[in-house]
């Protein structure tokens, strides 16, 4: 685990394989202003803090996640879902994967992992 969260920016473009970018790239391409980048970073760190606590209470470790931002009426907003498709979620104590890596790494039925996350989130 990292000592602190790592914040990465990617250019969402399948043709280019969603390349990593830095703040200078984002501003130079006009994708966001420096002020918007600061807001995105603030929101991302807050989302990270809230999600880590939420999942830990369910005995799930949030390993990483990706989120997308957009603009609505001139304001930067979170424009994405939060799910086992956008997060890496591991069971505390066992390291059992409850996310899309079950499929990617042939670790078992992906549906079972997603259902386990749903069961814990809904308390059923």
């Amino acid at each position: 685990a990292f000592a602190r969260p790592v914040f990465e920016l990617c250019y969402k473009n399948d043709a280019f394989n969603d390349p990593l970018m830095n703040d200078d790239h984002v501003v130079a391409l006009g994708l966001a202003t420096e002020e918007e980048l600061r807001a995105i970073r603030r929101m991302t760190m807050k989302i990270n803090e809230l999600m880590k606590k939420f999942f830990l209470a369910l005995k799930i470790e949030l390993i990483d996640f990706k989120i997308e931002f957009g603009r609505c009426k001139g304001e930067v907003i979170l424009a994405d879902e939060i799910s086992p498709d956008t997060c890496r979620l591991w069971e505390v104590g066992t390291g059992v994967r409850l996310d899309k890596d079950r499929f990617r790494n042939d670790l078992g039925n992906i549906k079972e992992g997603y259902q386990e996350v749903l069961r814990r989130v809904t308390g059923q």
Side-chain angles (χ1 to χ4, degrees):
F2 293 113
R4 63 180 236 174
V6 174
F7 179 81
E8 295 178 338
L9 296 164
C10 295
Y11 182 55
K12 181 98 171 111
N13 185 311
D14 290 339
F16 296 126
N17 258 350
D18 301 337
L20 282 172
M21 303 179 76
N22 65 36
D23 293 10
D24 292 329
H25 293 129
V26 172
V27 173
L29 291 170
L31 301 172
T33 65
E34 289 183 18
E35 182 180 322
E36 288 172 329
L37 280 172
R38 283 191 295 276
I40 289 168
R41 186 180 296 271
R42 258 192 326 276
M43 285 187 271
T44 300
M45 294 305 165
K46 183 63 175 180
I47 291 165
N48 181 58
E49 177 185 318
L50 293 170
M51 286 182 24
K52 280 176 49 179
K53 287 180 186 175
F54 175 80
F55 283 117
L56 196 54
L58 303 174
K59 304 291 187 240
I60 297 173
E61 185 177 6
L62 175 66
I63 303 303
D64 68 12
F65 64 97
K66 71 106 190 139
I67 49 180
E68 297 175 14
F69 289 89
R71 285 190 195 93
C72 182
K73 299 179 183 177
E75 295 216 23
V76 173
I77 62 166
L78 175 64
D80 207 348
E81 66 176 285
I82 308 260
S83 77
D85 263 354
T86 62
C87 303
R88 280 195 178 78
L89 302 169
W90 298 359
E91 184 175 54
V92 171
T94 68
V96 169
R97 294 347 187 236
L98 302 172
D99 55 53
K100 64 185 172 195
D101 279 349
R102 291 173 70 99
F103 171 75
R104 285 184 175 163
N105 300 320
D106 199 24
L107 299 173
N109 188 322
I110 190 169
K111 185 176 177 182
E112 289 175 4
Y114 285 31
Q115 287 174 329
E116 179 60 21
V117 172
L118 177 63
R119 185 188 69 72
R120 292 182 191 199
V121 167
T122 61
Q124 296 180 358

